[in-house]
Amino acid sequence: MSNWTLNEKSTGVLSVTVEGDAWKSACKKAFNKIAKGVEVKGFRKGSVPTKILEREINKQHVYAVAIDDNANEWFGKALEEEKLMPINQASMDMKEVSDEKVVLEFTFSVPPTVELGDYKSLTYTVPEVEVSEEEFNAELDRMREVYADMEEKDGAAEEGDTVEIDYEGFKDGVPFEGGKAEGFDLVLGSHSFIEGFEEKLIGSKAGEEKELELTFPEDYPAKELAGAPVIFKVKVNKVKTKVLPEVNDDFAKDLNAPDVNTAEDLKKMVRTRLENGKKAQAENEAVTELMNKLADVTTVEIPDVMVEDEINGKLAEMGQQLQQYGISVEQYLSMMGKKIEDVKAELYDEAHKSVKVRLALEEVAKKENLEATEEMVEEEFNRMAEAYKMEVETIKQYVNPIHLKLDLVRQQAFNLLKGEAVEKKPAKKATKKTAEKKTAEKKPAAKKTTTKKATTKKTTKKAETKDAE
């Protein structure tokens, strides 16, 4: 006999009662199992009389073995009876046990009930983008900075110049650890050193020696220096300034970019790249906004375990990214002065939103009868194999087909949602010249006005599920 009680956040208790012959049979098997290992002086192992065994074997031990051997089976049958599907490992608690029966309680979470609002009325807006001259010129200057030459100059150092210096720091007249270097290149204005260091070197010339009286910040990592007044003795060896290359055909060729041979080719490439980047950013922001709107019309109590799993997944991704730089999560946390609990708290809202969006997309898929066929799954495996330059069978060893099928279903739901959403393009502001032109072109009003029927362009471009989330 079983009874399911659903509590908050789709977490509940499944009470399972086993009694009568079923419980007695389980206890008998447990008793015989224990008896095989009981040794009593004067009897061979396995040949001890039952009456003697009953005195030797504790009843609580029999109950424990009976429960341990049968709990999973009883739990499974109860799940079938109640038509439940756990989404996490159940915890078991023995509430009552005797010769007549045992009552077990299993606590676990189930998929939450998702209530969708009017998801078909959501809007998907991708604003038109344009690259300003300031942005265009800034990108060209950035590229010129990369290929700039450094030249020594005789004049005073200015912000943006590089000074090659020898320096040593003193606290209370004593050199402190880590406060000395020779031939160090410092870009003035880079804020690489404590406040005041770089500012006091502006105006200096090659060959000059200076003493800089400074104070370390109160929150400086090295406690022995935090808030301490110090003196840096600095010798300026050289003052160097950047000489930026001109944007000409030679510069364009030096970049070795595909199909870029002239200055005009370079400018066209830069503008196109900036435009594409802005378009991609605009679309990503539109997708995020659409998913936020979907979350807003969705009501669901999300089990804590689902959010915890999402947070752990994000931490795993963080670990992989840090690993590329040879840093572990523990080292990163130590550098940032944080504990793992702090990072989990910071990730909570984002993780909660991600889970909510996924659940909403799955509910959309149910309502729209969307499913991922075996052909779709196989096609996705082939696409992944090509993308990662691996064999399909190797990919299948790493990717669970059930999870992949669920991803594809969510992707379909997202595509449908995005396609059904009304896509609006904000109108560009008319310039004064354009407005005057339109005014001049106005004709006397006709007796009958014909209005063209507005059409809504549907977006069918495929987006990755990860972006949707």
Side-chain angles (χ1 to χ4, degrees):
M1 184 176 68
S2 62
N3 180 60
W4 169 247
T5 303
L6 183 62
N7 299 319
E8 294 181 347
K9 295 186 177 181
S10 295
T11 298
V13 178
L14 179 61
S15 178
V16 180
T17 300
V18 182
E19 55 190 348
D21 291 341
W23 175 237
K24 289 178 181 178
S25 175
C27 289
K28 184 176 181 180
K29 289 180 180 178
F31 180 88
N32 292 335
K33 182 179 180 179
I34 297 169
K36 292 178 181 179
V38 174
E39 294 183 6
V40 178
K41 191 174 181 180
F43 296 94
R44 285 184 292 109
K45 192 174 181 180
S47 300
V48 183
T50 302
K51 288 186 178 181
I52 296 177
L53 287 172
E54 287 175 349
R55 293 199 303 266
E56 295 291 326
I57 299 174
N58 185 286
K59 275 190 177 182
Q60 297 301 320
H61 187 191
V62 174
Y63 297 155
V65 172
I67 292 170
D68 189 55
D69 288 348
N70 297 277
N72 286 338
E73 181 183 347
W74 296 333
F75 180 50
K77 288 180 179 179
L79 290 176
E80 290 180 9
E81 289 175 7
E82 301 292 336
K83 294 182 173 56
L84 297 172
M85 184 179 70
I87 59 173
N88 66 323
Q89 185 73 35
S91 62
M92 186 186 75
D93 184 23
M94 185 179 68
K95 301 301 292 183
E96 182 182 343
V97 65
S98 66
D99 287 342
E100 285 72 36
K101 67 178 179 179
V102 63
V103 180
L104 304 175
E105 285 187 353
F106 298 89
T107 303
F108 55 92
S109 298
V110 294
T113 300
V114 181
E115 296 180 9
L116 281 177
D118 187 7
Y119 64 92
K120 290 190 176 181
S121 67
L122 302 179
T123 56
Y124 174 70
T125 305
V126 182
E128 292 186 3
V129 299
E130 59 181 31
V131 177
S132 68
E133 286 304 306
E134 289 79 5
E135 291 171 321
F136 174 72
N137 290 329
E139 179 60 14
L140 277 180
D141 287 343
R142 186 195 67 78
M143 296 175 71
R144 293 170 68 202
E145 288 272 355
V146 173
Y147 288 85
D149 291 324
M150 298 298 295
E151 293 185 358
E152 288 188 42
K153 73 177 197 179
D154 296 328
E158 302 173 77
E159 185 166 347
D161 286 344
T162 296
V163 289
E164 183 194 289
I165 57 174
D166 302 333
Y167 67 86
E168 186 170 15
F170 297 84
K171 176 188 174 184
D172 299 328
V174 180
F176 55 83
E177 186 178 353
K180 181 178 181 180
E182 294 181 356
F184 185 86
D185 279 340
L186 175 64
V187 179
L188 301 182
S190 64
H191 306 292
S192 303
F193 280 32
I194 62 174
E195 186 176 351
F197 192 102
E198 295 170 31
E199 291 84 349
K200 292 189 176 186
L201 290 179
I202 292 176
S204 60
K205 297 181 180 181
E208 284 189 20
E209 294 186 10
K210 290 193 170 188
E211 287 193 3
L212 313 181
E213 295 183 8
L214 302 170
T215 302
F216 273 92
E218 294 290 343
D219 58 352
Y220 194 72
K223 292 182 179 180
E224 64 276 11
L225 294 175
V230 295
I231 293 177
F232 279 97
K233 294 182 179 181
V234 182
K235 179 184 178 184
V236 180
N237 300 320
K238 299 176 183 176
V239 176
K240 296 177 281 188
T241 190
K242 281 185 179 179
V243 179
L244 303 181
E246 292 183 19
V247 180
N248 52 28
D249 292 351
D250 289 336
F251 177 58
K253 290 175 183 177
D254 287 343
L255 295 177
N256 291 322
D259 301 320
V260 175
N261 299 304
T262 66
E264 288 306 310
D265 292 339
L266 170 60
K267 291 177 181 178
K268 183 179 179 181
M269 180 197 75
V270 170
R271 190 172 293 278
T272 300
R273 186 170 64 191
L274 289 174
E275 287 175 350
N276 290 341
K278 280 200 157 190
K279 287 176 183 177
Q281 182 180 354
E283 185 163 351
N284 286 338
E285 290 173 356
V287 166
T288 299
E289 185 179 357
L290 178 61
M291 292 299 97
N292 286 339
K293 290 175 181 176
L294 177 62
D296 290 339
V297 299
T298 301
T299 302
V300 58
E301 285 193 358
I302 302 174
D304 291 335
V305 64
M306 296 185 77
V307 180
E308 288 168 8
D309 286 347
E310 183 69 15
I311 290 174
N312 289 334
K314 291 182 182 298
L315 286 173
E317 288 180 11
M318 180 192 297
Q320 291 174 355
Q321 292 171 354
L322 291 171
Q323 200 171 30
Q324 296 177 3
Y325 301 97
I327 303 173
S328 67
V329 174
E330 291 74 18
Q331 289 172 322
Y332 170 77
L333 293 175
S334 177
M335 290 164 55
M336 300 300 292
K338 294 182 178 180
K339 296 180 180 179
I340 192 69
E341 292 76 16
D342 300 328
V343 179
K344 286 185 175 182
E346 292 170 1
L347 292 173
Y348 183 87
D349 288 344
E350 181 187 349
H352 190 277
K353 176 65 72 65
S354 295
V355 174
K356 190 175 186 180
V357 167
R358 280 207 307 272
L359 291 171
L361 287 172
E362 289 167 16
E363 190 64 21
V364 170
K366 288 179 186 176
K367 289 186 177 295
E368 300 292 339
N369 297 316
L370 302 175
E371 61 178 25
T373 64
E374 293 303 323
E375 290 78 13
M376 293 170 65
V377 173
E378 198 62 31
E379 182 181 338
E380 184 63 13
F381 272 130
N382 289 326
R383 187 196 66 79
M384 294 172 69
E386 185 176 348
Y388 292 105
K389 308 298 181 187
M390 298 170 67
E391 295 294 328
V392 175
E393 294 306 316
T394 304
I395 290 289
K396 289 181 178 180
Q397 293 176 12
Y398 293 98
V399 181
N400 188 322
I402 296 176
H403 295 163
L404 180 58
K405 186 174 286 190
L406 191 55
D407 283 343
L408 290 172
V409 167
R410 285 195 292 258
Q411 180 65 58
Q412 289 181 75
F414 170 74
N415 290 342
L416 180 143
L417 196 66
K418 184 179 172 185
E420 289 290 335
V422 179
E423 184 175 3
K424 299 176 182 178
K425 298 286 187 181
K428 289 184 177 180
K429 292 183 179 179
T431 61
K432 183 178 180 182
K433 185 175 180 181
T434 305
E436 290 173 351
K437 183 179 179 182
K438 286 187 175 181
T439 303
E441 290 176 350
K442 278 188 177 180
K443 296 180 180 180
K447 291 182 180 179
K448 185 177 180 181
T449 303
T450 303
T451 305
K452 290 184 178 180
K453 186 178 180 182
T455 59
T456 302
K457 182 179 178 183
K458 290 187 177 181
T459 303
T460 58
K461 183 180 177 182
K462 184 175 179 183
E464 291 296 328
T465 304
K466 185 176 179 182
D467 293 335
E469 296 172 359

